[in-house]
Amino acid sequence: MKLLSQSSASWMKNLMKMTALSVSMFAATAAGAADMKLRLSAPSSESDQRAVALTTVFGPGVASFAEFEPHWNASLFKQGTELEAIARGNLDMAMASAQELAEFIPEFSIFSAGYMHRDADHQVAVFNADFMDPLKEQVEDTLGVKLLTVIYLGRRQLNLRTDQEVKTPADLAGVKLRMPGSDSWQFLGKALGANPTPMAFTEVYTGLQTGAVDGQDNPLPTDKDAKFYEVTKQIVLTSHLVDLNYLAISKKVWDKLTPEQQAQLQKAADDAAAFGRKNQLALEGELVDFFVEKGLKVYEPDLNAFRTHVQNAYLESDFSDTWPEGMVEKINKL
Ligand code: KDO
């Protein structure tokens, strides 16, 4: 048998050393999984209740194995591009809207329809209902995204820089209403009777200030947080959409976790959602006075007129053709 030369023997030794080193490095990574980073991108500010809940409840809840790294104000990804970023492996987590999901899975437009969810508890019941399972699976299969929990955003209200009173959808004819930029968002603006204009959330304040748009819609806590009251004159309490976001995580990242870590992460997500929901509901209940003090008119329109107009618009649209058979009835029954 041919003996190894002096130089090949030392080469072999080095190779063995390197192999031993990489094996021990691998072991260290697996054990010290706190190296795992969970990067989330969202358009909301860090003082928004959803952000506060994620930072103060979700982050600490997973800290033993992962570092939660949120990026607010759409500083990492533009509003509406987060799901694609997760699918491409460039982002770990997002707060996805039903309207954004509907771009990929049209069935989700059912949750973008006005006057569908009744309130925060109804949202939770719908998210946890059996009939949601096929939709959640479809999100995993199509986008590689797991929907962890439902986050309450609140009842969307019209907020206008014009001061003409709005009682019915007819009063919104010709009003340039900013809506986020996807088909189902735009349709909601139309269903309300307005002229919808797409614009990213981070541009809305300036859009209102310069008159590029006549109004926008968001829940009261968002109107306060984004200081929209500084550049608008009235809030019309239409409550046209009990809005939500889904806390979403990359399925690839989820699958890397041990079952214990998955359970811990799921609990942290649910706890954060419950905490955020409580705070957001409390704020919604107390903010009318705040806006009145700031000089805004705040009033209820003819709610029946809005509900009927919006519901009819959806039923007559192509959106409702994509809704799973019997789903509206199941949602209403909960
Ligand atoms: C908005 O752009 O009006 C909206 O309220 C839509 C939501 O789905 C969500 O993206 C939210 O903005 C952001 O988190 C900013 O609050």
Side-chain angles (χ1 to χ4, degrees), residues 48-69:
D48 178 290
Q49 289 311 311
R50 292 162 299 160
V52 171
L54 289 176
T55 313
T56 60
V57 180
F58 180 77
V62 296
S64 62
F65 62 90
E67 183 194 339
F68 178 54
E69 189 188 285

Side-chain angles (χ1 to χ4, degrees), residues 83 87 96-112 131-147 182-184 246 318-319 321-324 327:
L83 285 169
S97 66
Q99 292 81 354
E100 285 155 4
L101 281 161
E103 293 286 293
F104 304 94
I105 300 157
E107 288 87 332
F108 268 89
S109 71
I110 196 166
F111 305 119
S112 72
F131 59 76
M132 277 302 288
D133 291 345
L135 290 183
K136 290 176 187 165
E137 268 166 39
Q138 236 181 303
V139 180
E140 292 185 14
D141 297 344
T142 316
L143 294 166
V145 167
K146 181 178 169 60
L147 302 183
S182 82
D183 287 353
S184 50
Y246 301 108
D318 294 345
F319 287 104
D321 294 343
T322 68
W323 300 348
M327 185 105 154

Side-chain angles (χ1 to χ4, degrees), residues 42-45 48 50 79 95-97 99-100 153 156 178 180 185 199-201 216-219 222 243-245:
S44 65
S45 76
D48 178 290
R50 292 162 299 160
Q79 182 178 28
M95 290 198 285
S97 66
Q99 292 81 354
E100 285 155 4
L153 180 51
R156 292 182 86 93
R178 173 272 169 181
W185 275 120
M199 187 180 279
F201 181 76
Q216 63 91 30
D217 81 311
N218 255 297
T222 307
D243 204 7
L244 58 78
N245 286 147

Side-chain angles (χ1 to χ4, degrees), residues 39-46 48 50-51 54 69-80 82 91 93-96 201-202 245 247:
R39 290 185 322 150
L40 172 138
S41 181
S44 65
S45 76
E46 65 267 31
D48 178 290
R50 292 162 299 160
L54 289 176
E69 189 188 285
H71 296 259
W72 307 115
N73 300 306
S75 53
L76 201 55
F77 286 96
K78 277 206 273 179
Q79 182 178 28
E82 300 91 344
L91 182 67
M93 296 185 72
M95 290 198 285
F201 181 76
T202 42
N245 286 147
L247 185 62

